Amino acid sequence: MTESGKVATVSLEGKTASLPVLSGVLGPDVLDIRKIAADLGVFTFDPGYGETASCESKITFIDGGKGVLLHRGYPISQLAEQATFMEVAHLLLNGELPTRAQNDAFVATIKSHTLLHEQIRNFFNGFRRDAHPMAILCGTVGALSAFYHEGTDISNATSRNLSAMRLIAKLPTIAAWAYKYTQGEAFVYPRNDLNYAENFLSMMFAHPSEPYVVNPVLARAMDRILILHADHEQNASTSTVRLAGSTGANPFACIAAGIAALWGPAHGGANEAVLKMLAEIGSKDNIPDFIAKVKDKNSGVRLMGFGHRVYKNFDPRAKIMQATCHEVLGELGIKDDPLLDLAVELEKIAIHDEYFVKRSLYPNVDFYSGIILKAMGIPTSMFTVLFAVARTVGWISQWKEMIEEPGQRIGRPRQLYTGSPQRDFPSFDQRG
């Protein structure tokens, strides 16, 4: 961040404030309003922080209008097509892609932390069998600080790095065990002979009674899903992690806070909403009637998985996910699943319909990821859990960046108060 040399002058009731204009490497300039309250006696009002830069970051850049998503400067398409999830994790955490030796060391470190403390097994027995896997994930991750004390000293760089490695390594284990628990199946331990995506699939679907062979096409698809969800700039859950972290809370608690924020249907549940929509449509014969309702503003019917709040043109992740989707469906030879057939037909109609093309309502990453995950046999209750596994890398990278920033301060948003003015306490007899 640098001062551009430009200054915006704002006047209010005879007072004047000079607001420096700051420039980043990419993206629009921002006004530095830190002294506006002192100079003018006012705060700014921006519900949802949609027009406010809450921090300075070097990790991810998004230009929604142009459909650009960069991690440390690298386009997401190149990373998803050429890198592994472990390479992307190293990139987000450390700022650069690893050399071969660095990558080997990084992968080995992650593998050394995939096991959970054996007492953590007891946590799962405390949940009902019908508990949502996100509830299990959130509770168990928040409790990790009770087992890994040496990783909670946030003032120590070694401690911060240790916690980062543990979180990235243990999230797939906790997530898979949450699924196994709800199914009443035996927990499957991590295997160090498998890569990150393969290991997750093994812990999800293997059984102690027989060997499990990972399908390489499905493993690569899972790796791409993880890459495409690894970080997405200052979204709701990432901002939650940063806000919690600004208080000095330990990293396990901060990531649990991020998981809780991600759980909301307006954030992490979008791909689950896609499958719910497809189930409501029912069959390909009902698509024309459904499309007509979508076009009718008074119907209240929404086309889930199309368009994006951030990307006004196209979601750069969607094209990669689209190709991956068709690879997975082809590999599995799925031809008789009504829901997946319906999704493919809806995709064909929507990408050619003038109404959707004009409004840039193209299928987004959530549309395709929901189809892929269902085809792979992952239940909808696990969709957001898988999102959390991927996003943990981004969350912990953003957390580390914030903690290591000189002059870092606790987050303290202001408000526009619209309640009652000051008044005196009345007795019971005076209370109308």
Side-chain angles (χ1 to χ4, degrees):
M1 175 176 64
T2 59
E3 289 200 20
S4 66
K6 297 182 287 187
V7 175
T9 302
V10 180
S11 298
L12 179 66
E13 297 180 347
K15 297 179 181 178
T16 301
S18 296
L19 308 178
V21 179
L22 306 179
S23 298
V25 175
L26 296 169
D29 290 344
V30 300
L31 295 179
D32 185 347
I33 62 169
R34 284 176 286 186
K35 294 184 179 180
I36 197 170
D39 292 345
L40 299 182
V42 297
F43 299 128
T44 57
F45 184 63
D46 183 19
Y49 313 112
E51 309 299 331
T52 299
S54 62
C55 65
E56 178 184 349
S57 181
K58 297 179 174 65
I59 298 173
T60 297
F61 173 77
I62 296 173
D63 186 331
K66 296 179 180 178
V68 172
L69 171 58
L70 307 176
H71 289 327
R72 303 285 191 179
Y74 294 102
I76 188 63
S77 59
Q78 294 181 17
L79 293 173
E81 291 168 359
Q82 301 178 51
T84 64
F85 181 64
M86 286 290 92
E87 289 178 276
V88 173
H90 186 282
L91 173 69
L92 293 174
L93 279 168
N94 302 302
E96 295 294 343
L97 288 167
T99 63
R100 189 180 300 277
Q102 289 172 334
N103 188 66
D104 290 345
F106 184 78
V107 169
T109 301
I110 294 296
K111 286 183 177 181
S112 72
H113 290 295
T114 54
L115 287 170
L116 296 174
H117 192 291
E118 276 296 294
Q119 281 185 265
I120 294 178
R121 287 181 61 106
N122 299 329
F123 269 70
F124 292 87
N125 293 327
F127 294 100
R128 286 174 43 143
R129 288 285 178 180
D130 61 354
H132 196 289
M134 279 295 281
I136 300 174
L137 186 72
C138 188
T140 307
V141 171
L144 291 179
S145 61
F147 292 87
Y148 303 107
H149 309 290
E150 68 276 20
T152 58
D153 181 4
I154 65 172
S155 65
N156 183 282
T158 301
S159 176
R160 292 194 298 271
N161 290 330
L162 178 60
S163 289
M165 296 298 103
R166 281 176 167 161
L167 280 160
I168 296 169
K170 296 180 189 305
L171 255 291
T173 309
I174 297 172
W177 283 16
Y179 168 70
K180 287 293 193 183
Y181 182 76
T182 61
Q183 300 301 301
E185 296 180 3
F187 293 156
V188 174
Y189 281 83
R191 286 172 49 185
N192 285 351
D193 61 314
L194 301 177
N195 67 32
Y196 196 87
E198 292 170 342
N199 188 46
F200 179 69
L201 290 174
S202 171
M203 290 189 291
M204 281 282 294
F205 298 119
H207 298 281
S209 56
E210 57 188 10
Y212 177 77
V213 178
V214 181
N215 183 313
V217 174
L218 302 190
R220 181 56 184 153
M222 178 59 65
D223 204 59
R224 282 181 181 161
I225 289 173
L226 293 172
I227 290 171
L228 294 174
H229 289 85
D231 193 58
H232 209 238
E233 206 218 69
Q234 305 308 314
N235 51 76
S237 58
T238 299
S239 297
T240 298
V241 170
R242 279 181 170 265
L243 192 60
S246 74
T247 70
N250 72 74
F252 304 108
C254 295
I255 300 306
I259 293 169
L262 185 71
W263 196 353
H267 188 9
N271 48 14
E272 189 172 346
V274 170
L275 291 190
K276 182 179 179 182
M277 174 192 71
L278 294 174
E280 290 173 351
I281 296 173
S283 73
K284 290 191 282 189
D285 294 338
N286 297 330
I287 290 179
D289 182 55
F290 174 77
I291 294 293
K293 289 179 180 178
V294 170
K295 294 177 182 179
D296 180 2
K297 294 181 180 179
N298 298 318
S299 70
V301 175
R302 294 180 59 200
L303 184 61
M304 305 304 296
F306 287 74
H308 197 282
R309 180 183 174 185
V310 173
Y311 300 109
K312 305 307 179 187
N313 186 358
F314 67 93
D315 184 341
R317 303 167 297 174
K319 290 184 178 180
I320 305 152
M321 197 64 87
Q322 179 190 43
T324 303
C325 179
H326 292 294
E327 284 175 14
V328 169
L329 296 181
E331 173 67 17
L332 296 177
I334 296 177
K335 297 178 181 178
D336 56 355
D337 188 311
L339 209 60
L340 296 178
D341 289 343
L342 176 58
V344 172
E345 186 66 22
L346 182 61
E347 175 201 17
K348 289 178 183 176
I349 293 173
I351 61 178
H352 293 106
D353 190 297
E354 185 180 0
Y355 176 89
F356 300 109
V357 173
K358 270 188 176 180
R359 291 163 176 78
S360 297
L361 293 176
Y362 298 106
N364 60 34
V365 68
D366 298 308
F367 181 81
Y368 293 114
S369 64
I371 298 171
I372 294 171
L373 295 177
K374 183 183 187 304
M376 293 172 69
I378 295 174
T380 55
S381 62
M382 283 293 294
F383 284 8
T384 314
V385 174
L386 183 57
F387 194 160
V389 171
R391 187 55 56 86
T392 292
V393 170
W395 286 334
I396 201 65
S397 300
Q398 297 271 354
W399 174 83
K400 282 179 79 268
E401 181 181 64
M402 180 204 63
I403 293 297
E404 293 166 3
E405 179 186 352
Q408 181 268 326
R409 299 173 60 192
I410 186 172
R412 179 60 172 86
R414 298 293 184 167
Q415 66 172 14
L416 176 64
Y417 177 70
T418 56
S420 299
Q422 182 173 326
R423 48 185 172 169
D424 293 326
F425 181 84
S427 66
F428 279 112
D429 294 339
Q430 297 172 309
R431 299 179 198 173

